[in-house]
Amino acid sequence: MNDPGSPHYPECYRPLPPELIRVFELEAGEFSDPIVGRLVSQAIDGEPYEAVSYVWGDRRERHDIIVDGATLSVTANLHGALTAFRPRPLSGGGDGSDPAAGTGTGLAQQQIRRLWADAVCINQENLPERTSQVELMGRIFAGARRVLAWLGWEAGEVGRRHMQVAIRFIHAFMEDPEAGLRDARILLHHHDLAAPAPAARLALLSEDDRRRFDEQARKWEAIKVFFAIEYFHRTWIVQELGLAREAIMCAALKPIHGAEHEEARALELDLVEWPLVGRFVRFLDYSGASLVTHLDLLTWVAHHILMVWEMREDGTPDCDFLTGMHWTRILGVTDARDRVYSLLGHPLAVMDGELVIKPDYTVTRGVIYTKLAVTLIRKTGNLYVVNLVDHEEDPSVEEARTWDPADEGRMPSWVPDWHSINRTTPLHYPIGGAEAKDAEIQINGATEGAEGSPLPHLLAQGWVVDEISAVSRRMETTDFPVTNLARERAKKNPFWLDRLWEVVFPAGRGGEEEEEESAAGDALAALETLSIALSLGTKPETQLETENKVGPKQTLEGHHGSFAAYVLEFHELWRRASEASSISDDDHDDHHHRGDEYSLPARSLYDSLPVPAQAELRRRAAGTTSGTWIECMTWPSMCRVAYRTTSGLVGMGSRVTRPGDLVCRVRGSEVLMTLRRIREDSGSGAETTTKTGADAVPISISCAHIGPTVVPARMKRGVVDGGAFGEVPACFRIV
């Protein structure tokens, strides 16, 4: 008789000894048969098994399965995966040679399939067991013979057609990806013609171009549908695919119930290997970013999975644990704490022989994220974790200074909220702004989350670089490609570059008395700083052959040429727009009445430049195209802003940056920071002292962390002391 005081768990679960797992031995059956099997306890390195990677889906939509004679309720999506992966009865002719069949060739093996699936093999109602098994999750997927990734049932015949077209296209594209990318570029110039309104203009294409356009549009539409599948947007799959010895993605058209013939109910899987899919998305992210953004593809989400597990030539991880956390925060998760726990299988999740954090489902995500940040700062002596903060909204710096167990998202401003939507890439600028480590960094305050106790604050030293005076609108990836007038006017920020230039280099900045040559030099210097900030720098020629990453892929000379070509291409588009009969005075009036300040700018960036600067841009652009610069800057600039400081410096930073924020150089952070003073600071800031250099007394500033930032003019190789630029020394108390 059960102890009435003990928890009541499903009958199929018996106590699980430490370090052991359960494997589900799934019996053979036809499509319409009940799912039946039994649970067997074993060591991870015991009998071979396959691990099922899937999306839980709607938890309200459930089906019953039979486990050791007891009924267990599972989500419809897991039920579908078990249905698809179970072996057919021997009369069905299965031979165990593919993912739909059993795992062996003998009679007993053909009658069962040994699977690990979390919702069946872990007692989800037993919190201690769930916590301990989460620690083992990385080893479970790494130890599996194969990972079966269930993409779900295809959406009817149309869904199956999209799936099969996408799989065939990925195979064909990767045979010659450069050629495939060239073929796709017809969509960059005519993709908007697929909409019903401009159908008449589509007819103006030549017969050959129309055929190529239709073929490419059909294939890339299938790719768009494929990567929009929910599976690719789930946090746990990062570890499940990344640690797999072998991973196969599977989908199927759900057989028709009640069909008269057995063949009509036969289950046929559409399969594609994850490594091939990985190579496809990686190529697109590094070589086809403009196409990805133009077609609004979600391939980059899948690429984030790969980036977490990339290795160097010497076999060591290329992506650290924190950067992996950053890349995966765009993905969905049911429990926000699992954003950390789902990556504990990463090789760099262990420091000094221990996990960077232990799973704990009894405290808020704010407590977990803060503990992780504190641990990493104390163990590394650097502030890299702070520079992964990506506030979705302006941080509240005047309230919420104490822990509240009822507020899941409460945490200090310097702690990344991994559960907020990630819209940016890390700011890895090739030149460090300060020493990478500082032994004097301190963290004061408790991290246990006791109600009413103060949030911990970060104490660091450095310099105030300058104060921000003007900020652009948020940059969107769809702003960047130069296509055609119809496409440009449909953008959220039409002629974004011209508008950006108005912010960082306003008209009349040089003064009326300034000589033309001097004015041209100032304008070119500002242009160069802006272009380098947006693309995160350049590379020496000797490093161009190294592995592609997000950010610079050009020498300084190549960068200047490619960016100059981009300015001229946008100018040409602006010129055509200004002359187009479709932009009438009435149209301008409509924009004015709507308050749309992003109608056609009064002049282009190029037109605003002094004549010598225009001539220099034409010289640089000769024989080049803008493509490489666009590929370099698309991901670093995504969802960030450009700004100008009071002294005229140009930089790029967080989308929540606003005038009055401080650009700061902080010891322990190679990247500059944007900080915001808070009221208790009584207005202290750069203006509170005039002394700089070795004799300057640091000012104290209480502030909130806004985000990382880059100001190329203040990031010089070998210079990590702000005194070299006459910057004001400061002690920062970051709340």
Side-chain angles (χ1 to χ4, degrees), residues 173-330:
F173 185 94
M174 292 311 296
E175 290 179 2
D176 189 349
E178 293 291 349
L181 195 58
R182 287 195 299 272
D183 291 342
R185 295 203 182 276
I186 190 172
L187 299 179
L188 281 175
H189 298 285
H190 303 296
H191 182 247
D192 56 309
L193 298 182
R201 288 190 290 124
L202 186 58
L204 298 177
L205 294 177
S206 69
E207 183 176 344
D208 184 54
D209 281 348
R210 176 61 183 268
R211 179 191 58 77
R212 290 193 301 115
F213 174 87
D214 288 342
E215 179 183 11
Q216 289 295 314
R218 178 178 62 86
K219 292 175 178 177
W220 287 100
E221 177 62 23
I223 292 296
K224 185 172 184 176
V225 171
F226 182 79
F227 287 101
I229 291 173
E230 185 183 3
Y231 177 83
F232 290 106
H233 304 268
R234 171 180 169 265
T235 298
W236 279 102
I237 71 165
V238 176
Q239 182 169 265
E240 294 164 3
L241 293 176
L243 293 173
R245 301 177 186 179
E246 176 188 359
I248 299 178
M249 298 185 152
C250 317
L253 180 64
K254 198 171 187 177
I256 303 170
H257 276 292
E260 294 182 4
H261 302 289
E262 180 68 23
E263 306 90 80
R265 296 199 303 273
L267 190 64
E268 296 181 3
L269 292 181
D270 292 312
L271 310 173
V272 61
E273 294 182 350
W274 163 243
L276 176 66
V277 175
R279 291 195 297 273
F280 177 74
V281 298
R282 188 178 188 279
F283 177 82
L284 287 182
D285 236 18
Y286 290 145
S287 301
S290 56
L291 181 71
V292 170
T293 57
H294 186 75
L295 299 181
D296 197 22
L297 303 177
L298 294 175
T299 50
W300 58 274
V301 177
H303 182 223
H304 284 192
I305 301 170
L306 283 178
M307 296 170 77
V308 173
W309 304 100
E310 287 182 339
M311 306 295 284
R312 299 190 180 100
E313 290 184 1
D314 62 3
T316 59
D318 191 43
C319 178
D320 61 88
F321 179 75
L322 279 175
T323 305
M325 289 277 295
H326 183 85
W327 289 130
T328 60
R329 64 201 287 186
I330 191 66

Side-chain angles (χ1 to χ4, degrees), residues 9-10 12-22 39 41 116 118-137 140 359 361:
Y9 299 130
C12 57
Y13 294 116
R14 297 175 180 82
L16 191 60
E19 298 294 309
L20 294 189
I21 64 172
R22 299 186 187 95
L39 289 172
S41 298
W116 187 93
D118 58 355
V120 177
C121 298
I122 299 175
N123 183 353
Q124 299 292 325
E125 298 177 19
N126 184 333
L127 186 58
E129 178 183 307
R130 178 182 160 206
T131 301
S132 65
Q133 290 284 293
V134 164
E135 275 196 54
L136 300 177
M137 205 78 81
I140 291 170
Y361 289 99

Side-chain angles (χ1 to χ4, degrees), residues 188 289-290 293-294 473-483 488 491-497 500 534 566 569-570 573 626 629-641 652:
L188 281 175
S290 56
T293 57
H294 186 75
R473 281 196 175 188
R474 188 175 88 178
M475 295 178 282
E476 308 286 349
T477 55
T478 52
D479 296 339
F480 306 146
V482 184
T483 55
E488 190 66 28
K491 291 178 179 178
K492 189 174 183 179
N493 297 324
F495 298 95
W496 76 281
L497 185 63
L500 200 69
L534 297 181
Y566 186 74
E569 288 172 19
F570 244 116
L573 182 62
S626 64
W629 185 78
I630 298 175
E631 300 300 333
C632 291
M633 60 79 61
T634 293
W635 302 129
S637 300
M638 176 177 67
C639 295
R640 287 193 164 103
V641 298
M652 178 176 71

Side-chain angles (χ1 to χ4, degrees), residues 578-646:
S578 65
E579 296 175 354
S581 59
S582 59
I583 303 182
S584 64
D585 291 338
D586 290 339
D587 187 47
H588 283 294
D589 289 340
D590 288 341
H591 280 292
H592 176 74
H593 291 312
R594 294 198 323 262
D596 185 357
E597 63 175 298
Y598 275 73
S599 55
L600 185 67
R603 59 180 181 170
S604 69
L605 184 163
Y606 177 82
D607 270 344
S608 72
L609 298 175
V611 172
Q614 293 180 350
E616 176 61 16
L617 284 186
R618 292 195 301 271
R619 184 194 69 78
R620 292 180 180 182
T624 66
T625 64
S626 64
T628 305
W629 185 78
I630 298 175
E631 300 300 333
C632 291
M633 60 79 61
T634 293
W635 302 129
S637 300
M638 176 177 67
C639 295
R640 287 193 164 103
V641 298
Y643 60 78
R644 184 182 76 254
T645 71
T646 54

Side-chain angles (χ1 to χ4, degrees), residues 21-47:
I21 64 172
R22 299 186 187 95
V23 171
F24 184 50
E25 294 190 339
L26 175 61
E27 296 182 5
E30 299 291 356
F31 171 75
S32 58
D33 292 340
I35 298 292
V36 179
R38 59 185 175 275
L39 289 172
V40 178
S41 298
Q42 67 169 68
I44 293 174
D45 59 357
E47 290 295 315

Side-chain angles (χ1 to χ4, degrees), residues 653-672:
S654 165
R655 60 185 173 277
V656 299
T657 302
R658 65 190 190 198
D661 289 345
L662 301 177
V663 178
C664 302
R665 187 188 309 270
V666 182
R667 290 174 177 158
S669 170
E670 292 188 287
V671 180
L672 302 183

